[in-house]
Amino acid sequence: MEELVGLREGSSGSPVSLRELWGPCPRIRRGIRGGLEWLKQTLFRVGEDWYFLMTLGVLMALISYTMNFAIERVVQAHKWLYREIGDSHLLRYLSWTVYPVALVSFSSGFSQSITPFSGGSGIPELKTILSGVVLEDYLDIKNFGAKVAGLTCTLAAGSTIFLGKVGPFVHLSVMMAAYLGRVHTKAIGESENKSKQNEMLVAAAAVGVATVFAAPFSGVLFSIEVMSSHFSVWDYWRGFFAATCGAFMFRLLAVFNSEQETITFLYKTSFRVEVPFDLPEIFFFVALGAICGVLSCAYLFCQRTFLGFVKTNRVLSKLLATSKPLYSALVALVLASITYPPGVGRFLASRLSMNEHLDSLFDNHSWALRTRNSSPPWPEELDPQNLWLEWYHPRFTIFGTLAFFLVMKFWMLILATTIPIPAGYFMPVFIFGAAIGRLIGEAIAFAFPEGIVAGGVTNPIMPGGYALAGAAAFSGAVTHTISTALLAFELTGQIVHALPVLMAVLAANAIAQSCQPSFYDGTIIVKKLPYLPWIRGRKISSHRVIVGHFMNCTITTLAKDTPLDEVARVVTSTDLATYFLVESTESQILVGTVGRVHLVQALQAEPPSWAPGHRQCLQDLLAGGCPLEPVTLQLSPETSLHQAHNLFELLNLQSLPVTSLGRAVGSVSWVELTKAISNLTNPPAPK
């Protein structure tokens, strides 16, 4: 039975239902309904991207904080067990080593059993995806759960394994953005937009950094520097909005949980603000940057070489292929045994967590001057008010422990990067750089105990400022980024060292970028992922290299007048995904491309009844509905290598045809470009 309708008295509008006409408070309900409709129209007028990015930032902040909360509880349980187990060295050693070994082996076994893409940092693969390459299942949502569980166990192992969170969390954020994008397209019934998806993935990378360090500015800049070679200004606001939402929510949760009184910085420092450094110290900061640059080159070379050795060695590669948890447990056992506090760990400040490492290294007082005339005892238990005592040994001195820490952590970190677990590698190199800066700062403070005289005023040296500069310089050199300087300021809330820190970062990058690929590019090289390298050097001679020098001249073309039996022979004898279509065999004028899949389908279809005497050719398949893709972009043999490289990077291309006066004369793909760039860097020996 249809619902009765009527008109209000004196109304000439559209009819309304009797339920609405006789219901309680009809005017109020109509007003609320109209207000909601107006709000809906207003919100959608603003743009749906805002809601997507805000949701992404809030979700990742919640996940990041929940992970930190769980990790902290597990680490506290480990410390309690080590403290309360008794005085037996055997029991204390077992409590120190079995805990991280179990966590790391579970992290490797669990994550790898669900999906093989959950191990490592994730940033090298993301760079490959954003360059236009499709890596199947890498952004699948099942990978998300495996990586969250595995990363939590990795970080719960503490500073024993000495691994971080940034890289995997960037990967997690991008996976979440991809999943939300798929849900959105299914909900509204639209087809996937590849360009739109890439914009959201770049913004998600910024969210990953921002929700780890509560640093939205450096998060956006770091994602730009690391993830993409070209960046659209249109994506700038997306990254900042999402990163700000994520960072704000991440710090707000700490306030809600009574960990902080208000939103503040992760690492509190007390640097002198009036005169943070004297003018002559600029030289020492630049020298520190140069030292960090040289050491980063050594680290990148050794790490890439050892990772390649592990992948090619018969025993290790077989162990990694058949039993990843066993390999992870063995490496974790070695690292945990070395960091055992009553043993070698006494000289590595092994009782400190990753955050406590930075808190102690950023101390603005000189440890060398403190211990010059006194020998404070090593506390039986960790003293939160005097973390610097973990770095002191009466027979080893501050300089000895810092130098020993750097030597040991250099190879221990390289070894840890080979473990097949979800783990980040930015935080370890950040702490390593802080230790380099601390050592240099302590040496300067010891050489000038009263400070450096400048303008008739003497101010004491602050080694914590050098630790800050060293952290930014070394991590920036390893990752080939400048944004680490801004990250150091956002982490500590101190910008008084802005100029010397930036100069140190620039000096370190100048050395590292001219000698070694970045950590992420080196991993791409070792894993043999498809990635277009940069043209390094940009010498004048490189601009003389043109496409005609390196293009692939042996191309397969199909003409419209090609007989079908010849088309079938070409399709079955080659494995190309697309074929260049030319107007005729004689003219070779390029008119478009035709896909292999479509050709096979058209050839296998039931042929129509041809007219008597008609010769079947490719033109008939095209007329019958076989799709033809027009060529909208093509190269000339006179196009320079730099122009071709810029086009491939800017548009995320895989290959382009080369034409001369409209005739198809060759093609250029990543293979030819990579080989040409390699010949520029390492010219072949003359025959």
Side-chain angles (χ1 to χ4, degrees):
M1 181 178 179
E2 295 185 0
E3 188 176 359
L4 298 176
V5 296
L7 286 175
R8 298 186 187 278
E9 186 177 355
S11 173
S12 58
S14 58
V16 296
S17 66
L18 293 181
R19 180 180 300 175
E20 182 180 356
L21 186 64
W22 294 341
C25 306
R27 292 186 179 179
I28 296 177
R29 291 193 294 116
R30 281 202 317 275
I32 293 175
R33 190 180 296 111
L36 291 175
E37 188 67 26
W38 173 85
L39 181 62
K40 176 183 176 181
Q41 294 177 0
T42 303
L43 289 177
F44 276 95
R45 193 182 302 121
V46 171
E48 58 192 22
D49 289 353
W50 293 89
Y51 316 124
F52 179 93
L53 296 171
M54 183 177 67
T55 303
L56 176 65
V58 171
L59 282 176
M60 295 312 299
L62 289 170
I63 295 171
S64 179
Y65 185 81
T66 304
M67 286 179 60
N68 287 356
F69 184 83
I71 291 165
E72 186 179 355
R73 296 300 179 271
V74 176
V75 170
Q76 287 178 353
H78 184 204
K79 290 182 178 179
W80 176 86
L81 177 64
Y82 176 76
R83 185 175 60 250
E84 301 293 334
I85 201 168
D87 297 330
S88 172
H89 277 290
L90 178 60
L91 292 178
R92 291 171 72 89
Y93 171 77
L94 290 176
S95 68
W96 181 266
T97 55
V98 172
Y99 213 83
V101 168
L103 287 170
V104 169
S105 58
F106 176 79
S107 172
S108 176
F110 178 78
S111 58
Q112 294 291 329
S113 65
I114 295 179
T115 170
F117 308 112
S118 59
S121 167
I123 290 183
E125 289 81 1
L126 292 179
K127 291 187 69 171
T128 304
I129 291 174
L130 291 176
S131 65
V133 179
V134 178
L135 297 182
E136 294 293 339
D137 300 328
Y138 193 77
L139 299 181
D140 194 80
I141 194 62
K142 69 178 181 180
N143 197 4
F144 186 91
K147 196 136 194 170
V148 167
L151 180 60
T152 303
C153 292
T154 300
L155 298 178
S159 59
T160 301
I161 309 300
F162 210 67
L163 293 173
K165 179 182 178 183
V166 178
F169 216 75
V170 170
H171 184 198
L172 289 173
S173 182
V174 172
M175 281 191 285
M176 179 60 73
Y179 176 73
L180 292 177
R182 290 194 294 268
V183 170
H184 177 261
T185 53
K186 288 182 180 179
I188 63 178
E190 292 183 355
S191 58
E192 288 191 8
N193 188 328
K194 191 68 175 176
S195 176
K196 182 83 167 180
Q197 183 185 23
N198 283 352
E199 292 174 358
M200 295 305 175
L201 296 186
V202 172
V207 173
V209 179
T211 49
V212 171
F213 293 128
F217 293 103
S218 52
V220 173
L221 296 180
F222 187 82
S223 68
I224 293 174
E225 290 182 292
V226 171
M227 305 301 294
S228 54
S229 57
H230 291 77
F231 188 78
S232 174
V233 180
W234 175 249
D235 298 335
Y236 208 49
W237 71 268
R238 303 173 189 269
F240 267 112
F241 179 73
T244 302
C245 291
F248 176 75
M249 189 64 186
F250 179 69
R251 297 308 291 155
L252 194 62
L253 290 171
V255 177
F256 288 163
N257 199 34
S258 302
E259 298 176 10
Q260 301 287 341
E261 293 182 0
T262 185
I263 295 178
T264 184
F265 309 103
L266 287 182
Y267 303 100
K268 295 181 181 179
T269 56
S270 55
F271 295 155
R272 189 174 60 248
V273 178
E274 296 80 10
V275 186
F277 60 92
D278 289 311
L279 185 60
E281 290 186 69
I282 292 291
F283 168 77
F284 295 119
F285 279 102
V286 175
L288 171 62
I291 293 172
C292 289
V294 173
L295 290 178
S296 69
C297 291
Y299 170 78
L300 290 170
F301 175 78
C302 294
Q303 190 272 339
R304 190 173 67 254
T305 303
F306 186 71
L307 189 60
F309 168 76
V310 170
K311 288 185 173 295
T312 55
N313 181 268
R314 182 180 302 176
V315 177
L316 295 178
S317 61
K318 184 178 180 180
L319 185 61
L320 280 171
T322 58
S323 183
K324 289 183 174 65
L326 177 60
Y327 176 85
S328 304
L330 291 175
V331 175
L333 179 62
V334 171
L335 297 176
S337 300
I338 293 174
T339 58
Y340 179 53
V344 181
R346 169 69 177 84
F347 308 98
L348 296 173
S350 60
R351 294 195 300 184
L352 298 178
S353 65
M354 303 284 278
N355 290 340
E356 289 170 341
H357 272 95
L358 283 181
D359 283 331
S360 61
L361 291 171
F362 289 159
D363 184 7
N364 61 325
H365 297 99
S366 173
W367 304 337
L369 298 181
R370 278 185 174 185
T371 57
R372 170 182 278 186
N373 299 319
S374 62
S375 180
W378 189 58
E380 291 295 328
E381 302 294 338
L382 184 66
D383 185 3
Q385 303 301 322
N386 294 289
L387 295 177
W388 70 274
L389 291 174
E390 297 296 313
W391 298 93
Y392 175 72
H393 191 280
R395 296 182 181 178
F396 226 44
T397 73
I398 289 297
F399 300 104
T401 53
L402 285 171
F404 186 72
F405 175 86
L406 292 174
V407 172
M408 294 297 290
K409 286 299 182 182
F410 185 89
W411 68 266
M412 290 171 68
L413 180 56
I414 291 176
L415 179 62
T417 58
T418 64
I419 306 178
I421 54 176
Y425 311 115
F426 178 83
M427 194 63 170
V429 298
F430 195 80
I431 296 175
F432 190 88
I436 297 174
R438 186 78 202 191
L439 179 60
I440 301 298
E442 290 289 350
I444 298 172
F446 188 80
F448 302 96
E450 302 298 329
I452 298 177
V453 180
V457 179
T458 303
N459 294 294
I461 303 295
M462 287 194 301
Y466 289 87
L468 187 68
F474 187 77
S475 58
V478 169
T479 56
H480 287 191
T481 57
I482 309 297
S483 56
T484 53
L486 183 58
L487 176 62
F489 304 144
E490 288 191 278
L491 281 178
T492 60
Q494 294 282 357
I495 201 170
V496 292
H497 288 87
L499 184 60
V501 168
L502 185 57
M503 294 179 69
V505 172
L506 290 173
N509 266 275
I511 296 174
Q513 293 195 26
S514 61
C515 299
Q516 292 291 328
S518 72
F519 179 88
Y520 305 119
D521 290 345
T523 306
I524 289 174
I525 294 171
V526 174
K527 290 186 175 181
K528 298 180 180 179
L529 297 173
Y531 187 69
L532 192 62
W534 288 2
I535 303 177
R536 300 187 180 277
R538 300 273 176 174
K539 297 179 181 179
I540 296 179
S541 58
S542 66
H543 290 272
R544 302 193 187 101
V545 180
I546 58 176
V547 168
H549 294 161
F550 59 85
M551 69 179 182
N552 177 24
C553 299
T554 57
I555 59 173
T556 302
T557 61
L558 293 175
K560 290 183 178 180
D561 55 2
T562 304
L564 288 187
D565 54 349
E566 179 66 17
V567 173
R569 188 192 65 79
V570 171
V571 170
T572 54
S573 61
T574 59
D575 57 354
L576 299 176
T578 59
Y579 297 92
F580 294 131
L581 182 67
V582 295
E583 186 64 35
S584 64
T585 307
E586 182 179 356
S587 68
Q588 290 292 307
I589 300 297
L590 184 66
V591 295
T593 61
V594 59
R596 174 192 178 88
V597 175
H598 299 130
L599 279 177
V600 172
Q601 292 176 350
L603 289 170
Q604 292 176 346
E606 185 71 22
S609 56
W610 304 103
H614 179 80
R615 185 189 181 191
Q616 302 177 12
C617 59
L618 180 57
Q619 177 64 46
D620 299 316
L621 292 183
L622 298 175
C626 183
L628 167 66
E629 294 290 335
V631 177
T632 57
L633 190 62
Q634 50 195 291
L635 299 175
S636 165
E638 303 301 320
T639 304
S640 69
L641 169 63
H642 289 270
Q643 291 174 325
H645 185 270
N646 288 337
L647 281 175
F648 272 73
E649 280 196 326
L650 187 60
L651 302 177
N652 294 333
L653 303 173
Q654 300 297 311
S655 64
L656 279 178
V658 182
T659 60
S660 177
L661 300 177
R663 292 169 50 89
V665 295
S667 67
V668 171
S669 66
W670 278 25
V671 176
E672 288 77 32
L673 273 178
T674 303
K675 186 176 181 181
I677 295 170
S678 177
N679 290 338
L680 278 178
T681 308
N682 301 304
K687 297 182 181 180

Short mmCIF file of all heavy atoms in Angstrom, two decimals, residues 471-509:
data_model
loop_
_atom_site.label_atom_id
_atom_site.label_comp_id
_atom_site.label_asym_id
_atom_site.label_seq_id
_atom_site.Cartn_x
_atom_site.Cartn_y
_atom_site.Cartn_z
N ALA A 471 75.04 13.60 14.16
CA ALA A 471 73.89 12.76 13.85
C ALA A 471 73.25 13.15 12.53
O ALA A 471 72.93 12.30 11.69
CB ALA A 471 72.87 12.85 14.98
N ALA A 472 73.05 14.46 12.33
CA ALA A 472 72.43 14.92 11.09
C ALA A 472 73.34 14.70 9.90
O ALA A 472 72.89 14.30 8.81
CB ALA A 472 72.08 16.40 11.22
N ALA A 473 74.66 14.92 10.07
CA ALA A 473 75.59 14.82 8.95
C ALA A 473 75.76 13.37 8.50
O ALA A 473 75.71 13.07 7.30
CB ALA A 473 76.94 15.43 9.34
N PHE A 474 75.98 12.45 9.45
CA PHE A 474 76.23 11.06 9.06
C PHE A 474 74.97 10.42 8.47
O PHE A 474 75.03 9.75 7.43
CB PHE A 474 76.71 10.27 10.26
CG PHE A 474 77.16 8.87 9.92
CD1 PHE A 474 78.39 8.65 9.33
CD2 PHE A 474 76.34 7.78 10.17
CE1 PHE A 474 78.80 7.37 9.01
CE2 PHE A 474 76.74 6.49 9.85
CZ PHE A 474 77.98 6.29 9.27
N SER A 475 73.82 10.62 9.12
CA SER A 475 72.58 10.05 8.58
C SER A 475 72.22 10.67 7.24
O SER A 475 71.71 9.99 6.34
CB SER A 475 71.43 10.22 9.58
OG SER A 475 71.23 11.59 9.89
N GLY A 476 72.48 11.98 7.09
CA GLY A 476 72.22 12.63 5.81
C GLY A 476 73.13 12.11 4.71
O GLY A 476 72.70 11.95 3.56
N ALA A 477 74.40 11.84 5.05
CA ALA A 477 75.33 11.31 4.05
C ALA A 477 74.97 9.89 3.65
O ALA A 477 75.07 9.52 2.48
CB ALA A 477 76.76 11.37 4.60
N VAL A 478 74.54 9.08 4.61
CA VAL A 478 74.17 7.69 4.30
C VAL A 478 72.93 7.63 3.42
O VAL A 478 72.84 6.81 2.50
CB VAL A 478 73.96 6.90 5.61
CG1 VAL A 478 73.32 5.55 5.34
CG2 VAL A 478 75.28 6.72 6.34
N THR A 479 71.97 8.52 3.66
CA THR A 479 70.71 8.51 2.89
C THR A 479 70.70 9.52 1.75
O THR A 479 69.72 9.59 1.01
CB THR A 479 69.53 8.81 3.82
OG1 THR A 479 69.75 10.07 4.48
CG2 THR A 479 69.38 7.73 4.88
N HIS A 480 71.78 10.32 1.61
CA HIS A 480 71.86 11.35 0.57
C HIS A 480 70.71 12.37 0.71
O HIS A 480 70.04 12.70 -0.27
CB HIS A 480 71.85 10.75 -0.82
CG HIS A 480 73.13 10.07 -1.18
ND1 HIS A 480 73.43 9.64 -2.46
CD2 HIS A 480 74.21 9.72 -0.44
CE1 HIS A 480 74.62 9.06 -2.48
NE2 HIS A 480 75.11 9.10 -1.26
N THR A 481 70.50 12.86 1.92
CA THR A 481 69.43 13.83 2.17
C THR A 481 69.98 15.00 2.96
O THR A 481 70.94 14.87 3.72
CB THR A 481 68.27 13.19 2.95
OG1 THR A 481 68.76 12.65 4.18
CG2 THR A 481 67.60 12.10 2.15
N ILE A 482 69.32 16.16 2.80
CA ILE A 482 69.65 17.36 3.57
C ILE A 482 68.64 17.57 4.69
O ILE A 482 68.91 18.26 5.67
CB ILE A 482 69.66 18.60 2.64
CG1 ILE A 482 70.54 18.33 1.41
CG2 ILE A 482 70.18 19.83 3.36
CD1 ILE A 482 72.00 18.10 1.73
N SER A 483 67.48 16.95 4.56
CA SER A 483 66.40 17.17 5.53
C SER A 483 66.73 16.63 6.92
O SER A 483 66.02 16.93 7.88
CB SER A 483 65.11 16.51 5.04
OG SER A 483 65.30 15.13 4.78
N THR A 484 67.81 15.84 7.06
CA THR A 484 68.18 15.35 8.38
C THR A 484 68.58 16.50 9.31
O THR A 484 68.46 16.37 10.53
CB THR A 484 69.34 14.35 8.28
OG1 THR A 484 70.41 14.95 7.53
CG2 THR A 484 68.89 13.08 7.59
N ALA A 485 69.05 17.61 8.73
CA ALA A 485 69.36 18.78 9.56
C ALA A 485 68.08 19.30 10.21
O ALA A 485 68.05 19.58 11.42
CB ALA A 485 70.02 19.86 8.71
N LEU A 486 67.02 19.43 9.43
CA LEU A 486 65.75 19.89 9.97
C LEU A 486 65.18 18.87 10.95
O LEU A 486 64.57 19.24 11.97
CB LEU A 486 64.76 20.15 8.84
CG LEU A 486 63.39 20.72 9.23
CD1 LEU A 486 63.55 22.04 9.98
CD2 LEU A 486 62.53 20.92 7.99
N LEU A 487 65.38 17.58 10.68
CA LEU A 487 64.91 16.55 11.59
C LEU A 487 65.58 16.67 12.95
O LEU A 487 64.93 16.52 13.99
CB LEU A 487 65.17 15.17 10.99
CG LEU A 487 64.82 13.97 11.87
CD1 LEU A 487 63.33 13.94 12.17
CD2 LEU A 487 65.24 12.66 11.21
N ALA A 488 66.87 16.97 12.95
CA ALA A 488 67.57 17.14 14.23
C ALA A 488 66.98 18.29 15.03
O ALA A 488 66.86 18.20 16.26
CB ALA A 488 69.06 17.38 13.96
N PHE A 489 66.58 19.36 14.36
CA PHE A 489 65.99 20.50 15.07
C PHE A 489 64.60 20.15 15.61
O PHE A 489 64.24 20.52 16.73
CB PHE A 489 65.89 21.71 14.14
CG PHE A 489 67.21 22.10 13.52
CD1 PHE A 489 67.27 22.59 12.23
CD2 PHE A 489 68.39 21.96 14.23
CE1 PHE A 489 68.47 22.94 11.66
CE2 PHE A 489 69.61 22.32 13.66
CZ PHE A 489 69.65 22.80 12.36
N GLU A 490 63.81 19.43 14.80
CA GLU A 490 62.46 19.07 15.25
C GLU A 490 62.49 18.04 16.38
O GLU A 490 61.62 18.06 17.26
CB GLU A 490 61.64 18.52 14.08
CG GLU A 490 61.24 19.56 13.06
CD GLU A 490 60.23 19.05 12.06
OE1 GLU A 490 60.65 18.38 11.09
OE2 GLU A 490 59.03 19.28 12.25
N LEU A 491 63.48 17.18 16.38
CA LEU A 491 63.57 16.17 17.44
C LEU A 491 63.93 16.80 18.78
O LEU A 491 63.46 16.36 19.83
CB LEU A 491 64.61 15.11 17.08
CG LEU A 491 64.20 14.04 16.08
CD1 LEU A 491 65.37 13.11 15.79
CD2 LEU A 491 63.03 13.24 16.60
N THR A 492 64.80 17.81 18.74
CA THR A 492 65.32 18.39 19.98
C THR A 492 64.69 19.74 20.33
O THR A 492 64.83 20.20 21.46
CB THR A 492 66.84 18.57 19.88
OG1 THR A 492 67.14 19.47 18.78
CG2 THR A 492 67.52 17.23 19.64
N GLY A 493 64.02 20.37 19.36
CA GLY A 493 63.48 21.70 19.61
C GLY A 493 64.54 22.78 19.67
O GLY A 493 64.25 23.91 20.07
N GLN A 494 65.78 22.44 19.26
CA GLN A 494 66.88 23.40 19.30
C GLN A 494 67.25 23.79 17.87
O GLN A 494 67.57 22.94 17.05
CB GLN A 494 68.11 22.77 19.98
CG GLN A 494 67.92 22.46 21.45
CD GLN A 494 68.03 23.70 22.32
OE1 GLN A 494 68.30 24.79 21.83
NE2 GLN A 494 67.81 23.54 23.63
N ILE A 495 67.18 25.09 17.61
CA ILE A 495 67.56 25.58 16.29
C ILE A 495 68.73 26.54 16.38
O ILE A 495 69.11 27.18 15.40
CB ILE A 495 66.34 26.26 15.61
CG1 ILE A 495 66.51 26.30 14.09
CG2 ILE A 495 66.08 27.64 16.21
CD1 ILE A 495 65.27 26.73 13.35
N VAL A 496 69.33 26.61 17.59
CA VAL A 496 70.44 27.55 17.79
C VAL A 496 71.68 27.11 17.00
O VAL A 496 72.54 27.94 16.70
CB VAL A 496 70.77 27.68 19.29
CG1 VAL A 496 69.64 28.38 20.02
CG2 VAL A 496 71.05 26.32 19.91
N HIS A 497 71.77 25.81 16.68
CA HIS A 497 72.91 25.32 15.90
C HIS A 497 72.54 25.15 14.42
O HIS A 497 73.15 24.33 13.72
CB HIS A 497 73.39 23.98 16.46
CG HIS A 497 74.10 24.08 17.76
ND1 HIS A 497 73.45 24.06 18.97
CD2 HIS A 497 75.43 24.21 18.05
CE1 HIS A 497 74.34 24.17 19.94
NE2 HIS A 497 75.54 24.26 19.41
N ALA A 498 71.57 25.90 13.94
CA ALA A 498 71.07 25.70 12.58
C ALA A 498 72.17 25.84 11.54
O ALA A 498 72.35 24.97 10.68
CB ALA A 498 69.94 26.69 12.29
N LEU A 499 72.95 26.91 11.60
CA LEU A 499 73.97 27.15 10.58
C LEU A 499 75.09 26.11 10.61
O LEU A 499 75.41 25.52 9.58
CB LEU A 499 74.54 28.56 10.73
CG LEU A 499 75.56 28.99 9.67
CD1 LEU A 499 74.93 28.94 8.28
CD2 LEU A 499 76.09 30.39 9.97
N PRO A 500 75.72 25.83 11.76
CA PRO A 500 76.79 24.82 11.74
C PRO A 500 76.30 23.42 11.40
O PRO A 500 77.01 22.67 10.72
CB PRO A 500 77.36 24.89 13.17
CG PRO A 500 76.33 25.54 13.98
CD PRO A 500 75.60 26.47 13.08
N VAL A 501 75.10 23.05 11.85
CA VAL A 501 74.58 21.73 11.53
C VAL A 501 74.34 21.60 10.03
O VAL A 501 74.69 20.59 9.41
CB VAL A 501 73.28 21.45 12.32
CG1 VAL A 501 72.58 20.21 11.79
CG2 VAL A 501 73.59 21.28 13.80
N LEU A 502 73.76 22.62 9.42
CA LEU A 502 73.51 22.58 7.99
C LEU A 502 74.81 22.54 7.20
O LEU A 502 74.92 21.81 6.20
CB LEU A 502 72.67 23.79 7.57
CG LEU A 502 72.22 23.84 6.11
CD1 LEU A 502 71.41 22.59 5.76
CD2 LEU A 502 71.41 25.09 5.83
N MET A 503 75.82 23.27 7.65
CA MET A 503 77.11 23.24 6.95
C MET A 503 77.76 21.86 7.08
O MET A 503 78.37 21.37 6.12
CB MET A 503 78.02 24.32 7.53
CG MET A 503 77.54 25.74 7.26
SD MET A 503 78.60 27.01 7.97
CE MET A 503 80.05 26.85 6.95
N ALA A 504 77.62 21.23 8.23
CA ALA A 504 78.16 19.88 8.39
C ALA A 504 77.44 18.89 7.49
O ALA A 504 78.07 18.02 6.87
CB ALA A 504 78.04 19.46 9.86
N VAL A 505 76.11 19.01 7.39
CA VAL A 505 75.33 18.11 6.53
C VAL A 505 75.72 18.29 5.06
O VAL A 505 75.87 17.31 4.32
CB VAL A 505 73.83 18.34 6.74
CG1 VAL A 505 73.01 17.57 5.72
CG2 VAL A 505 73.41 17.94 8.15
N LEU A 506 75.89 19.53 4.64
CA LEU A 506 76.27 19.79 3.25
C LEU A 506 77.66 19.24 2.95
O LEU A 506 77.89 18.66 1.87
CB LEU A 506 76.22 21.30 2.99
CG LEU A 506 74.83 21.94 2.96
CD1 LEU A 506 74.93 23.46 2.85
CD2 LEU A 506 74.01 21.39 1.80
N ALA A 507 78.60 19.42 3.87
CA ALA A 507 79.95 18.89 3.65
C ALA A 507 79.93 17.37 3.57
O ALA A 507 80.60 16.77 2.70
CB ALA A 507 80.87 19.35 4.79
N ALA A 508 79.17 16.72 4.44
CA ALA A 508 79.09 15.26 4.41
C ALA A 508 78.44 14.76 3.13
O ALA A 508 78.90 13.78 2.51
CB ALA A 508 78.31 14.77 5.63
N ASN A 509 77.37 15.42 2.68
CA ASN A 509 76.70 15.01 1.45
C ASN A 509 77.57 15.24 0.22
O ASN A 509 77.51 14.44 -0.73
CB ASN A 509 75.38 15.78 1.31
CG ASN A 509 74.19 15.02 1.87
OD1 ASN A 509 73.60 14.20 1.19
ND2 ASN A 509 73.86 15.29 3.12
#
